Amino acid sequence: MYNTKSIFDDIYDAINSKIETHYLLIVDASGSMSTLVNETVSGINKQIDTIKKLDNDDNSIQSYYLTLVLFDSSIRKIYDSVHISEVNHITEEDYNVGGMTALLDAMGESITDLNNKLGERIKDNSVSGVVVVITDGEENSSSKFKGETIKSMVEELDKSENWTFTFMGANIDTITSAKNIGINTNNVNFASTSRGITMVYDTLSESMESRAVNMNSRTYSKFDFIQGELKNESSIDVDISDTTNTK
């Protein structure tokens, strides 16, 4: 059983100290996303606005940093551990879609980079990492990382309460795909439609807001990260799956 308070105990008594929360958002930009460009750009920008609001909360114990990674056959970092106060909205020019789905390479490169940045600080509870992966298809293009490598990496990091991982997938067996890369909770199925992708980003905003409240009250558990409409909904359009795939 995880000690859910370990992330707080060493820092709350320190005057003016804040936990650095590093939010890594890994988003599919392959050709199959071409009909959802506007909704995806709007959704990412909603995430940026949500994190800015949380960072500006005078009662917050967190300081937020964003890494935004877009992937198709290649990997593009739009922001790399940038404090949220310095992050601007993206445009459709930033989210230019095409190519295939190098999901494993995108995860391997970006998680490795973030882990190297956080280093030993993750152990003294002065930083935390939230990793969200959004894709509408299966891996078909990676050349640097294999599934078992990603699985081993994620499972090792996930031993710490200071890491939260979430996998959100469409047109795939989300539960199996997520477990194959070491993500065993907070896995969401969504429909690759305008409504589906909008609900994904709405859910992420609610989840980050809930996380902030629970961090402040020392009650956060990464197993309860997903909140909002998708947490309990099971429908043709969108459903969340904790233990079984209802698609």
Side-chain angles (χ1 to χ4, degrees):
M1 187 69 182
Y2 289 96
N3 178 2
T4 58
K5 290 190 176 182
S6 64
I7 191 173
F8 311 106
D9 293 341
D10 293 340
I11 58 169
Y12 270 79
D13 294 332
I15 298 174
N16 296 324
S17 66
K18 286 194 173 187
I19 301 171
E20 288 184 13
T21 293
H22 288 256
Y23 184 19
L24 170 56
L25 184 58
I26 305 171
V27 181
D28 192 338
S30 61
S32 57
M33 293 292 291
S34 61
T35 61
L36 297 170
V37 170
N38 182 65
E39 291 85 353
T40 301
V41 170
S42 296
I44 292 172
N45 287 336
K46 180 170 184 175
Q47 287 295 283
I48 292 171
D49 290 342
T50 296
I51 303 305
K52 283 180 178 288
K53 181 182 72 173
L54 296 177
D55 191 75
N56 286 330
D57 182 353
D58 291 337
N59 296 318
S60 175
I61 66 163
Q62 299 174 87
S63 180
Y64 291 87
Y65 295 78
L66 176 67
T67 298
L68 174 60
V69 174
L70 307 179
F71 69 93
D72 43 49
S73 302
S74 59
I75 292 90
R76 308 189 302 278
K77 276 190 177 180
I78 307 302
Y79 290 107
D80 187 2
S81 293
V82 176
H83 191 268
I84 196 64
S85 63
E86 300 177 9
V87 171
N88 298 315
H89 279 183
I90 68 165
T91 67
E92 292 187 9
E93 291 183 0
D94 297 311
Y95 188 71
N96 54 327
V97 300
M100 301 179 74
T101 308
L103 172 62
L104 298 178
D105 283 355
M107 290 185 64
E109 289 186 14
S110 55
I111 294 173
T112 297
D113 287 349
L114 181 57
N115 187 40
N116 288 339
K117 287 185 175 71
L118 302 189
E120 293 299 309
R121 292 188 298 156
I122 202 80
K123 296 179 181 179
D124 67 19
N125 301 321
S126 62
V127 299
S128 65
V130 177
V131 180
V132 176
V133 182
I134 302 173
T135 182
D136 78 331
E138 292 191 15
E139 157 66 43
N140 61 21
S141 184
S142 293
S143 59
K144 298 177 182 178
F145 289 86
K146 296 185 180 298
E148 55 265 31
T149 306
I150 302 298
K151 186 174 188 290
S152 177
M153 177 192 305
V154 171
E155 287 180 340
E156 181 62 29
L157 296 178
D158 200 37
K159 292 177 182 178
S160 167
E161 181 67 21
N162 298 349
W163 284 97
T164 300
F165 291 91
T166 295
F167 185 89
M168 312 180 90
N171 306 319
I172 56 176
D173 181 343
T174 299
I175 299 303
T176 299
S177 297
K179 287 185 175 180
N180 286 342
I181 53 175
I183 304 177
N184 297 310
T185 58
N186 297 311
N187 301 319
V188 176
N189 292 327
F190 68 93
S192 188
T193 63
S194 177
R195 178 173 181 262
I197 199 71
T198 298
M199 289 180 69
V200 162
Y201 286 101
D202 286 348
T203 291
L204 284 176
S205 289
E206 290 185 60
S207 299
M208 288 300 289
E209 289 170 345
S210 175
R211 179 183 183 275
V213 171
N214 291 328
M215 288 284 285
N216 287 345
S217 63
R218 311 188 192 192
T219 59
Y220 173 66
S221 169
K222 64 184 180 181
F223 301 108
D224 298 321
F225 173 69
I226 292 294
Q227 299 294 319
E229 189 172 359
L230 295 192
K231 183 174 178 63
N232 298 311
E233 178 168 323
S234 178
S235 67
I236 294 174
D237 262 335
V238 194
D239 69 288
I240 181 168
S241 304
D242 287 325
T243 57
T244 59
N245 185 4
T246 57
K247 283 298 209 185

